[in-house]
Amino acid sequence: MPIDIKKDSLQLALKKLKARESVMHQLEAIASLGSWEVDLKTMTSTWSDESYKIYGIKKGTPVGLNTFYSLLLPQYLEDAQKLLTKAIKGKELSRFNCQIKRPDGAIRDLLINGRVIEDAISLKLIGTTQDVTELSTIKKEAQELSELLEHSSNEIYIINSQTLEYLYVNKGACKALGYSKNELMKKTIKNINPYMTKYQINIIKKKLIHDNTVLNRTIHQRKDGTQYHVQSYIYKLSFQGKDAVVVFDTDISEIIALEDEHRKQRKLIEYQAYHDPLTNLPNRVLFQDRLQQAIAHSKRNDEKFALLFIDLDQFKKINDSLGHPIGDKVLIETANRFQQLVREEDTLSRLGGDEFTIILKNIKDEKNTATAAQKLINSMKKSIEIAHHQLHISASIGISIYPDDTDSQEDLIKFADTAMYKAKDEGRNNFQFYSIEMTKNAVKKVIMENNLRIAIEEQQFQVYYQPQYDAKKEKMVGMEALVRWNHPHVGMISPMEFIPIAEENGLIIAIDEIVMQEAMKQFSKWYKAGLYPGKLALNLSMKQLAHNHFMTYLKKTMKACNFDPLWLELEITEGQMMQNPEQSIKKLQKLSKLGIEIAIDDFGTGYSSLSYLKKLPLHKLKIDQSFIRDIPKDSDDVAITKAIIAIAKSLNLKLLAEGVETQEQKEFIVEHECNFIQGYFYSRPINSDDMEALLKKQNQ
Ligand code: C2E
Ligand code: MG
Ligand code: MG
């Protein structure tokens, strides 16, 4: 039995050994690791299964050191033999990297480790062979890749996502920026990208959460301070265990310059498409566009605009006789002159040839437009001097008004064109509205305005005086000064014709000042001569009263003329006074304090509120002549006149009736206790000589 036991335990030990061997084989296979041993006494070799596999030799084939040497690539043979000799002597084999060529021709990279073991019965060299071909390929590739990165002409950076410090910079980056690697590694992206803001960095970081790649443009600053544009491709990655990004930057300065150039060229082409090359003015295309805009804008804002169609008179003659280059210069000069007269919001265009158009936006009435047209015509009065030629050129202008004439774009142009031909027919060098009515009005107003200015300069105004009577006593108590315009060609022009226009354009201020000076001077003289002219009633425009300098001017004039404020009465029409009653109260109180009396002119034609009448520092109401005209026949006028008389009484105001022409009217008025009368019944307005004669007669 003991024998059996021994046999059993031996079998068990063998079984265990076999099992272990099988595990070893599997481990070797997993690690691509083959084991081997060389008996240095018999020089026989034993290879594990994995070793056969690594060397590409069929399992079980007898092998020895020579088998190994024969497979080794020749350049490794000498080193291998030296190492073996050294190993036997030193009893160890250092790591040996080599390459073999397997019988199937495949070249493999091997790593061999070994050591010598010696005991009583044997001297062995044992070791392992590892096939590291894959590993070295990866290593080689990695090395090649990093070389590639390093020598790439692109700038490549690896940046710590948290600290924004550089973890790696390549040669290309150093070269582009002018820093050494050491210097650059100490910088942060803030130093290199001076314009990059925190906000931009955050945007890139946010994008990188969702995308692996982000494209960005930035500006780099070199060590010498110069700058250039770069395009960056940014990738997320992990580098040396840190969250990082790799940035590939390409200098795109040239591309940017090219883009700029393209943009400029595009703009130029666009500009050329919409502008006339000769005058640089908008051309027909842009004009049509602006006209469309003007219609839309005016419709939205309920405004009017005017379209002026301008054609130079007899331009063709200049072109034909002096040649196109001179014609061109005339057009340029004309464009310049017109351009100086249009406001920024208006559009002056050249449609071609000698045709220009102007869109005058937001016009208030035909007078503004006519004034503008007249200015354009006047601007051509000065001759144009080109190459020793003195050229006299005029312009004819046609005007259509949106929306008065039409709201159609096409018709506006057609109508302005038609009006322009009308201007040519009228003898050129003038403007015409499409609507005949407007032309008449505008011309009248423009002519009137021009002439009024001349009248002020040339002192064409005279003061007439109309007496005011106390009807009960049949005595003259004062007079109203009334302006007369004695035009050198036309003769006397009624204030009814020019006062409303002068009110509109502000010339009334100058006119009233002339009348005031003249009348005060005259009054002073009469008082001095002992003629007792009573009160001087002056008509005053609210515009004048509202003027800041009016009080000073009034006092100065009174003083200069030796005129006593107690002689003065100022007439303001009811309509004007009630336009801004609060302002009137303030201004009139100041006058009243000087002892000047205030009368409401044309009373009954405006809309007075009784409460304001009470507050205003008034002395007199002048019943408008329109109510007097038909009394006592017209019962309405009788009723109104009676009511006005009642108001004056209750407010304790003096009352004067204007426009009394007949005995009947006078009697009715006096009967109803209105004692003051002004009208043709007593006298028409007369000049100062006639008035002086009247005063003298009365004082006899
Ligand atoms: P007003 O101030 O109401 O002047 C009275 C107007 O009635 C005067 O007209 C006068 O000639 C006219 N008139 C007087 N009595 C009669 C009459 O019995 N029958 C008729 N039919 N008319 C009569 P005039 O001189 O043509 O002045 C017209 C208006 O022009 C004046 O009306 C006044 O508002 C304004 N005006 C005249 N001179 C001046 C001035 O120097 N400055 C200002 N701001 N306005 C003035
Ligand atoms: Mg008056
Ligand atoms: Mg009046």
Side-chain angles (χ1 to χ4, degrees):
M1 280 315 274
I3 294 165
D4 280 339
I5 291 165
K6 208 176 169 186
K7 198 179 158 193
D8 281 354
S9 61
L10 205 64
Q11 266 177 346
L12 194 69
L14 263 171
K15 234 185 193 170
K16 273 187 181 170
L17 204 65
K18 275 252 164 81
R20 204 135 167 201
E21 218 167 63
S22 148
V23 171
M24 277 289 287
H25 282 315
Q26 281 177 42
L27 284 176
E28 281 191 7
I30 289 167
S32 282
L33 193 77
S35 58
W36 47 263
E37 55 179 78
V38 181
D39 187 329
L40 293 176
K41 282 191 178 154
T42 60
M43 287 312 265
T44 53
S45 300
T46 320
W47 288 5
S48 71
D49 293 354
E50 193 56 28
S51 285
Y52 277 107
K53 213 164 143 194
I54 289 170
Y55 288 102
I57 292 175
K58 204 172 160 226
K59 204 167 110 185
T61 312
V63 287
L65 265 178
N66 283 336
T67 319
F68 171 65
Y69 289 148
S70 70
L71 293 173
L72 209 54
L73 291 189
Q75 63 264 38
Y76 295 101
L77 190 60
E78 204 186 321
D79 282 351
Q81 285 168 341
K82 269 188 199 160
L83 271 171
L84 181 69
T85 322
K86 223 171 116 191
I88 296 167
K89 275 189 197 156
K91 303 199 173 153
E92 69 173 47
L93 184 71
S94 48
R95 286 158 64 90
F96 178 48
N97 279 96
C98 59
Q99 282 182 305
I100 55 157
K101 186 178 184 182
R102 286 205 302 221
D104 62 5
I107 308 284
R108 307 297 295 175
D109 292 2
L110 302 183
L111 172 65
I112 296 170
N113 279 298
R115 94 162 29 147
V116 177
I117 45 174
E118 187 178 13
D119 57 28
I121 46 165
S122 61
L123 179 66
K124 281 184 188 166
L125 178 62
I126 62 162
T128 57
T129 299
Q130 194 178 359
D131 188 335
V132 293
T133 313
E134 264 79 46
L135 210 68
S136 19
T137 312
I138 292 169
K139 239 185 182 172
K140 232 185 268 163
E141 272 175 11
Q143 205 163 348
E144 275 168 14
L145 229 77
S146 78
E147 295 260 299
L148 217 75
L149 291 187
E150 185 64 11
H151 293 104
S152 158
S153 60
N154 277 359
E155 299 168 42
I156 302 168
Y157 306 86
I158 299 177
I159 299 160
N160 185 324
S161 302
Q162 301 306 315
T163 63
L164 304 181
E165 286 165 335
Y166 292 118
L167 300 173
Y168 167 81
V169 295
N170 77 339
K171 268 194 185 151
C174 297
K175 199 173 154 206
L177 293 165
Y179 286 111
S180 72
K181 212 168 237 209
N182 265 344
E183 285 172 331
L184 191 51
M185 288 297 285
K186 283 179 198 143
K187 305 274 172 209
T188 70
I189 63 164
K190 275 301 295 168
N191 305 118
I192 304 304
N193 303 270
Y195 303 114
M196 195 175 255
T197 58
K198 252 189 186 167
Y199 176 72
Q200 282 172 314
I201 293 171
N202 282 337
I203 285 187
I204 295 173
K205 277 186 177 175
K206 262 190 201 153
K207 276 193 193 160
L208 280 171
I209 295 173
H210 305 290
D211 304 314
N212 274 330
T213 320
V214 170
L215 205 65
N216 188 48
R217 275 188 178 189
T218 170
I219 292 174
H220 275 183
Q221 180 158 309
R222 297 189 186 91
K223 190 179 176 182
D224 65 9
T226 54
Q227 298 179 342
Y228 59 101
H229 293 266
V230 294
Q231 169 108 290
S232 309
Y233 289 91
I234 306 168
Y235 297 86
K236 214 167 29 175
L237 85 169
S238 171
F239 185 77
Q240 297 168 350
K242 292 168 189 137
D243 280 344
V245 288
V246 58
V247 182
F248 294 87
D249 283 344
T250 319
D251 185 342
I252 52 162
S253 294
E254 275 177 22
I255 298 174
I256 296 262
L258 224 75
E259 281 175 1
D260 274 355
E261 190 55 34
H262 274 156
R263 207 171 300 132
K264 266 188 220 151
Q265 274 182 0
R266 224 179 21 239
K267 267 197 176 159
L268 190 71
I269 290 168
E270 250 174 48
Y271 184 86
Q272 283 167 347
Y274 291 113
H275 290 82
D276 161 40
L278 184 66
T279 59
N280 273 332
L281 292 177
N283 63 10
R284 189 181 288 273
V285 182
L286 188 52
F287 159 70
Q288 290 279 10
D289 189 55
R290 293 274 171 88
L291 187 59
Q292 197 181 350
Q293 279 177 28
I295 291 175
H297 177 89
S298 301
K299 196 177 269 176
R300 242 192 342 268
N301 299 295
D302 203 13
E303 287 174 5
K304 287 185 185 190
F305 74 84
L307 172 62
L308 276 62
F309 206 103
I310 312 164
D311 191 280
L312 299 184
D313 299 327
Q314 295 179 318
F315 175 73
K316 200 173 167 297
K317 262 192 195 162
I318 292 177
N319 245 356
D320 290 348
S321 57
L322 301 174
H324 283 261
I326 290 195
D328 283 355
K329 281 188 180 143
V330 168
L331 292 173
I332 294 169
E333 175 61 20
T334 305
N336 287 342
R337 289 186 186 184
F338 288 172
Q339 188 76 74
Q340 274 168 15
L341 294 172
V342 297
R343 298 168 303 176
E344 212 174 300
E345 62 265 36
D346 300 332
T347 304
L348 166 67
S349 318
R350 180 178 168 229
L351 300 194
D354 59 343
E355 283 179 354
F356 295 86
T357 54
I358 299 177
I359 302 167
L360 286 181
K361 278 203 180 155
N362 193 16
I363 50 156
K364 295 283 178 262
D365 62 13
E366 68 268 20
K367 206 200 88 208
N368 294 341
T369 315
T371 309
Q374 190 59 51
K375 276 188 188 164
L376 292 165
I377 287 171
N378 293 347
S379 76
M380 298 305 288
K381 277 195 179 138
K382 205 179 133 218
S383 63
I384 299 178
E385 206 184 307
I386 298 165
H388 309 300
H389 296 288
Q390 296 275 344
L391 302 173
H392 293 274
I393 295 157
S394 58
S396 297
I397 303 178
I399 306 167
S400 60
I401 305 280
Y402 171 94
D404 294 3
D405 293 334
T406 173
D407 57 5
S408 135
Q409 183 169 342
E410 218 174 293
D411 285 349
L412 275 169
I413 301 171
K414 210 162 70 191
F415 291 177
D417 192 37
T418 308
M420 190 272 291
Y421 278 106
K422 215 169 13 166
K424 294 258 181 201
D425 285 347
E426 293 287 326
R428 305 192 178 97
N429 195 24
N430 73 99
F431 64 85
Q432 295 289 325
F433 283 88
Y434 178 68
S435 138
I436 294 163
E437 221 24 62
M438 275 193 192
T439 306
K440 274 193 197 153
N441 273 340
V443 170
K444 216 164 90 185
K445 279 185 183 170
V446 170
I447 290 174
M448 188 72 96
E449 185 172 327
N450 279 344
N451 280 297
L452 271 177
R453 283 181 203 280
I454 297 168
I456 292 167
E457 261 169 45
E458 296 184 354
Q459 305 194 347
Q460 294 171 359
F461 295 108
Q462 276 178 19
V463 182
Y464 271 48
Y465 302 91
Q466 188 178 30
Q468 297 177 332
Y469 276 77
D470 181 329
K472 264 196 182 154
K473 297 180 186 160
E474 291 292 343
K475 191 178 174 284
M476 186 170 136
V477 289
M479 62 191 77
E480 178 174 10
L482 292 162
V483 71
R484 293 291 176 266
W485 180 4
N486 195 357
H487 193 277
H489 309 306
V490 182
M492 281 297 179
I493 302 174
S494 157
M496 305 294 257
E497 293 216 23
F498 66 87
I499 293 286
I501 294 171
E503 286 272 2
E504 220 177 284
N505 59 27
L507 291 174
I508 190 69
I509 295 181
I511 295 173
D512 278 353
E513 286 178 1
I514 291 172
V515 174
M516 181 185 285
Q517 263 190 30
E518 173 66 30
M520 283 184 176
K521 235 193 281 169
Q522 184 63 66
F523 242 64
S524 229
K525 247 197 236 164
W526 285 334
Y527 266 109
K528 220 171 167 186
L531 293 175
Y532 301 102
K535 282 237 184 245
L536 168 67
L538 284 180
N539 291 289
L540 190 68
S541 154
M542 230 12 235
K543 258 203 181 136
Q544 175 85 282
L545 196 62
H547 212 278
N548 283 340
H549 305 300
F550 175 66
M551 282 303 275
T552 330
Y553 180 81
L554 176 67
K555 283 186 205 163
K556 209 177 79 188
T557 314
M558 287 194 294
K559 205 173 160 199
C561 300
N562 265 327
F563 186 94
D564 187 337
L566 295 178
W567 302 338
L568 187 60
E569 181 181 81
L570 291 175
E571 293 187 5
I572 297 162
T573 62
E574 185 185 25
Q576 289 199 17
M577 199 182 288
M578 290 304 160
Q579 255 171 33
N580 189 347
E582 296 292 345
Q583 192 196 19
S584 303
I585 292 171
K586 271 190 220 149
K587 296 270 177 178
L588 295 178
Q589 270 168 350
K590 280 190 193 163
L591 290 172
S592 191
K593 271 187 198 146
L594 295 176
I596 297 168
E597 295 202 339
I598 316 283
I600 294 194
D601 204 352
D602 303 346
F603 191 79
T605 56
Y607 298 92
S608 286
S609 108
L610 281 179
S611 63
Y612 278 127
L613 281 182
K614 256 196 218 165
K615 279 191 226 163
L616 282 159
L618 297 175
H619 301 88
K620 189 189 267 180
L621 297 187
K622 292 183 79 176
I623 309 175
D624 190 65
Q625 51 178 283
S626 59
F627 304 112
I628 308 296
R629 196 175 298 137
D630 294 326
I631 49 174
K633 271 179 257 142
D634 189 308
S635 56
D636 283 348
D637 287 347
V638 168
I640 292 170
T641 307
K642 281 185 185 168
I644 294 175
I645 293 171
I647 289 171
K649 261 191 195 162
S650 74
L651 292 172
N652 208 10
L653 295 174
K654 284 189 263 183
L655 196 62
L656 179 144
E658 285 186 302
V660 176
E661 295 184 357
T662 64
Q663 180 73 30
E664 211 182 3
Q665 286 166 344
K666 183 202 150 187
E667 277 168 10
F668 177 89
I669 298 288
V670 176
E671 204 177 298
H672 288 87
E673 289 180 59
C674 169
N675 294 337
F676 297 108
I677 283 175
Q678 177 183 346
Y680 295 173
F681 176 75
Y682 284 109
S683 167
R684 284 176 178 263
I686 48 179
N687 66 24
S688 54
D689 289 344
D690 292 344
M691 179 52 88
E692 195 166 309
L694 191 68
L695 284 171
K696 278 180 180 160
K697 212 168 126 195
Q698 188 173 267
N699 281 295
Q700 272 171 3

PDB file of all heavy atoms in Angstrom, residues 56-57 70 88 162 252 320 405 433 458 461 473 484 517 572:
ATOM      1  N   GLY A  56       7.646  32.349 -34.931  1.00  0.00           N
ATOM      2  CA  GLY A  56       7.006  31.882 -36.177  1.00  0.00           C
ATOM      3  C   GLY A  56       7.492  30.498 -36.593  1.00  0.00           C
ATOM      4  O   GLY A  56       7.590  30.215 -37.790  1.00  0.00           O
ATOM      5  N   ILE A  57       7.809  29.663 -35.594  1.00  0.00           N
ATOM      6  CA  ILE A  57       8.313  28.314 -35.900  1.00  0.00           C
ATOM      7  C   ILE A  57       7.326  27.297 -35.349  1.00  0.00           C
ATOM      8  O   ILE A  57       6.701  27.525 -34.303  1.00  0.00           O
ATOM      9  CB  ILE A  57       9.705  28.105 -35.254  1.00  0.00           C
ATOM     10  CG1 ILE A  57      10.685  29.032 -35.997  1.00  0.00           C
ATOM     11  CG2 ILE A  57      10.155  26.648 -35.331  1.00  0.00           C
ATOM     12  CD1 ILE A  57      12.058  29.042 -35.417  1.00  0.00           C
ATOM     13  N   SER A  70      19.859  32.759 -36.302  1.00  0.00           N
ATOM     14  CA  SER A  70      19.522  32.785 -37.731  1.00  0.00           C
ATOM     15  C   SER A  70      18.318  33.685 -38.025  1.00  0.00           C
ATOM     16  O   SER A  70      18.170  34.207 -39.120  1.00  0.00           O
ATOM     17  CB  SER A  70      19.253  31.363 -38.239  1.00  0.00           C
ATOM     18  OG  SER A  70      18.035  30.891 -37.674  1.00  0.00           O
ATOM     19  N   ILE A  88      26.930  34.757 -19.455  1.00  0.00           N
ATOM     20  CA  ILE A  88      27.501  33.543 -18.876  1.00  0.00           C
ATOM     21  C   ILE A  88      28.515  33.914 -17.788  1.00  0.00           C
ATOM     22  O   ILE A  88      28.538  33.360 -16.713  1.00  0.00           O
ATOM     23  CB  ILE A  88      28.142  32.664 -19.986  1.00  0.00           C
ATOM     24  CG1 ILE A  88      27.032  32.203 -20.957  1.00  0.00           C
ATOM     25  CG2 ILE A  88      28.858  31.451 -19.394  1.00  0.00           C
ATOM     26  CD1 ILE A  88      27.551  31.606 -22.246  1.00  0.00           C
ATOM     27  N   GLN A 162      -8.458  75.382 -17.101  1.00  0.00           N
ATOM     28  CA  GLN A 162      -8.785  76.109 -15.871  1.00  0.00           C
ATOM     29  C   GLN A 162      -7.957  77.394 -15.742  1.00  0.00           C
ATOM     30  O   GLN A 162      -8.491  78.478 -15.574  1.00  0.00           O
ATOM     31  CB  GLN A 162      -8.510  75.235 -14.631  1.00  0.00           C
ATOM     32  CG  GLN A 162      -9.284  73.927 -14.610  1.00  0.00           C
ATOM     33  CD  GLN A 162     -10.776  74.147 -14.770  1.00  0.00           C
ATOM     34  OE1 GLN A 162     -11.337  75.025 -14.130  1.00  0.00           O
ATOM     35  NE2 GLN A 162     -11.412  73.386 -15.648  1.00  0.00           N
ATOM     36  N   ILE A 252      -4.275  84.576 -40.614  1.00  0.00           N
ATOM     37  CA  ILE A 252      -5.189  84.870 -41.730  1.00  0.00           C
ATOM     38  C   ILE A 252      -5.167  86.361 -42.089  1.00  0.00           C
ATOM     39  O   ILE A 252      -6.118  86.877 -42.673  1.00  0.00           O
ATOM     40  CB  ILE A 252      -6.636  84.418 -41.412  1.00  0.00           C
ATOM     41  CG1 ILE A 252      -7.082  84.999 -40.069  1.00  0.00           C
ATOM     42  CG2 ILE A 252      -6.789  82.934 -41.461  1.00  0.00           C
ATOM     43  CD1 ILE A 252      -8.563  84.977 -39.892  1.00  0.00           C
ATOM     44  N   ASP A 320     -23.172 121.505 -77.490  1.00  0.00           N
ATOM     45  CA  ASP A 320     -22.902 121.458 -78.927  1.00  0.00           C
ATOM     46  C   ASP A 320     -21.816 122.442 -79.337  1.00  0.00           C
ATOM     47  O   ASP A 320     -20.961 122.132 -80.153  1.00  0.00           O
ATOM     48  CB  ASP A 320     -24.188 121.771 -79.718  1.00  0.00           C
ATOM     49  CG  ASP A 320     -25.189 120.627 -79.580  1.00  0.00           C
ATOM     50  OD1 ASP A 320     -24.767 119.558 -79.074  1.00  0.00           O
ATOM     51  OD2 ASP A 320     -26.360 120.803 -79.933  1.00  0.00           O
ATOM     52  N   ASP A 405     -51.336 116.639 -55.243  1.00  0.00           N
ATOM     53  CA  ASP A 405     -51.516 116.411 -56.675  1.00  0.00           C
ATOM     54  C   ASP A 405     -51.858 114.957 -56.973  1.00  0.00           C
ATOM     55  O   ASP A 405     -52.719 114.667 -57.784  1.00  0.00           O
ATOM     56  CB  ASP A 405     -50.234 116.805 -57.433  1.00  0.00           C
ATOM     57  CG  ASP A 405     -49.984 118.310 -57.370  1.00  0.00           C
ATOM     58  OD1 ASP A 405     -50.976 119.051 -57.207  1.00  0.00           O
ATOM     59  OD2 ASP A 405     -48.820 118.729 -57.456  1.00  0.00           O
ATOM     60  N   PHE A 433     -45.815 125.167 -60.395  1.00  0.00           N
ATOM     61  CA  PHE A 433     -46.412 124.009 -59.728  1.00  0.00           C
ATOM     62  C   PHE A 433     -47.282 123.280 -60.747  1.00  0.00           C
ATOM     63  O   PHE A 433     -47.748 123.879 -61.715  1.00  0.00           O
ATOM     64  CB  PHE A 433     -47.296 124.467 -58.562  1.00  0.00           C
ATOM     65  CG  PHE A 433     -46.511 124.863 -57.353  1.00  0.00           C
ATOM     66  CD1 PHE A 433     -46.061 126.171 -57.200  1.00  0.00           C
ATOM     67  CD2 PHE A 433     -46.220 123.933 -56.361  1.00  0.00           C
ATOM     68  CE1 PHE A 433     -45.348 126.547 -56.084  1.00  0.00           C
ATOM     69  CE2 PHE A 433     -45.508 124.314 -55.240  1.00  0.00           C
ATOM     70  CZ  PHE A 433     -45.075 125.615 -55.088  1.00  0.00           C
ATOM     71  N   GLU A 458     -35.798 150.077 -48.231  1.00  0.00           N
ATOM     72  CA  GLU A 458     -35.892 151.355 -48.952  1.00  0.00           C
ATOM     73  C   GLU A 458     -36.926 152.306 -48.358  1.00  0.00           C
ATOM     74  O   GLU A 458     -37.239 153.331 -48.966  1.00  0.00           O
ATOM     75  CB  GLU A 458     -36.196 151.081 -50.429  1.00  0.00           C
ATOM     76  CG  GLU A 458     -35.062 150.321 -51.101  1.00  0.00           C
ATOM     77  CD  GLU A 458     -35.286 150.116 -52.589  1.00  0.00           C
ATOM     78  OE1 GLU A 458     -36.380 150.458 -53.073  1.00  0.00           O
ATOM     79  OE2 GLU A 458     -34.356 149.603 -53.237  1.00  0.00           O
ATOM     80  N   PHE A 461     -42.589 152.574 -46.697  1.00  0.00           N
ATOM     81  CA  PHE A 461     -43.812 152.629 -45.897  1.00  0.00           C
ATOM     82  C   PHE A 461     -44.115 154.059 -45.435  1.00  0.00           C
ATOM     83  O   PHE A 461     -43.204 154.837 -45.171  1.00  0.00           O
ATOM     84  CB  PHE A 461     -43.690 151.719 -44.670  1.00  0.00           C
ATOM     85  CG  PHE A 461     -43.569 150.271 -45.045  1.00  0.00           C
ATOM     86  CD1 PHE A 461     -42.365 149.595 -44.901  1.00  0.00           C
ATOM     87  CD2 PHE A 461     -44.658 149.598 -45.565  1.00  0.00           C
ATOM     88  CE1 PHE A 461     -42.251 148.273 -45.262  1.00  0.00           C
ATOM     89  CE2 PHE A 461     -44.548 148.271 -45.934  1.00  0.00           C
ATOM     90  CZ  PHE A 461     -43.340 147.601 -45.784  1.00  0.00           C
ATOM     91  N   LYS A 473     -69.420 164.689 -27.730  1.00  0.00           N
ATOM     92  CA  LYS A 473     -68.824 166.025 -27.687  1.00  0.00           C
ATOM     93  C   LYS A 473     -68.432 166.506 -29.084  1.00  0.00           C
ATOM     94  O   LYS A 473     -67.972 167.638 -29.244  1.00  0.00           O
ATOM     95  CB  LYS A 473     -67.587 166.018 -26.793  1.00  0.00           C
ATOM     96  CG  LYS A 473     -67.900 165.693 -25.340  1.00  0.00           C
ATOM     97  CD  LYS A 473     -66.620 165.704 -24.524  1.00  0.00           C
ATOM     98  CE  LYS A 473     -66.890 165.235 -23.110  1.00  0.00           C
ATOM     99  NZ  LYS A 473     -65.673 164.793 -22.434  1.00  0.00           N
ATOM    100  N   ARG A 484     -49.162 152.284 -44.617  1.00  0.00           N
ATOM    101  CA  ARG A 484     -49.436 152.248 -46.050  1.00  0.00           C
ATOM    102  C   ARG A 484     -48.143 151.898 -46.765  1.00  0.00           C
ATOM    103  O   ARG A 484     -47.073 152.372 -46.389  1.00  0.00           O
ATOM    104  CB  ARG A 484     -49.921 153.629 -46.537  1.00  0.00           C
ATOM    105  CG  ARG A 484     -51.272 154.037 -45.991  1.00  0.00           C
ATOM    106  CD  ARG A 484     -52.372 153.168 -46.583  1.00  0.00           C
ATOM    107  NE  ARG A 484     -53.676 153.452 -46.020  1.00  0.00           N
ATOM    108  CZ  ARG A 484     -54.189 152.774 -44.979  1.00  0.00           C
ATOM    109  NH1 ARG A 484     -53.502 151.836 -44.375  1.00  0.00           N
ATOM    110  NH2 ARG A 484     -55.404 153.054 -44.554  1.00  0.00           N
ATOM    111  N   GLN A 517     -41.944 154.168 -34.665  1.00  0.00           N
ATOM    112  CA  GLN A 517     -40.980 155.271 -34.646  1.00  0.00           C
ATOM    113  C   GLN A 517     -41.534 156.522 -35.315  1.00  0.00           C
ATOM    114  O   GLN A 517     -41.487 157.623 -34.759  1.00  0.00           O
ATOM    115  CB  GLN A 517     -39.725 154.842 -35.399  1.00  0.00           C
ATOM    116  CG  GLN A 517     -38.652 154.339 -34.476  1.00  0.00           C
ATOM    117  CD  GLN A 517     -37.353 154.175 -35.248  1.00  0.00           C
ATOM    118  OE1 GLN A 517     -37.107 154.906 -36.215  1.00  0.00           O
ATOM    119  NE2 GLN A 517     -36.547 153.233 -34.815  1.00  0.00           N
ATOM    120  N   ILE A 572     -54.423 145.235 -29.941  1.00  0.00           N
ATOM    121  CA  ILE A 572     -54.069 143.857 -30.302  1.00  0.00           C
ATOM    122  C   ILE A 572     -55.367 143.175 -30.703  1.00  0.00           C
ATOM    123  O   ILE A 572     -56.380 143.320 -30.008  1.00  0.00           O
ATOM    124  CB  ILE A 572     -53.410 143.122 -29.124  1.00  0.00           C
ATOM    125  CG1 ILE A 572     -52.093 143.829 -28.776  1.00  0.00           C
ATOM    126  CG2 ILE A 572     -53.125 141.661 -29.467  1.00  0.00           C
ATOM    127  CD1 ILE A 572     -51.564 143.500 -27.431  1.00  0.00           C
TER     128      ILE A 572
END
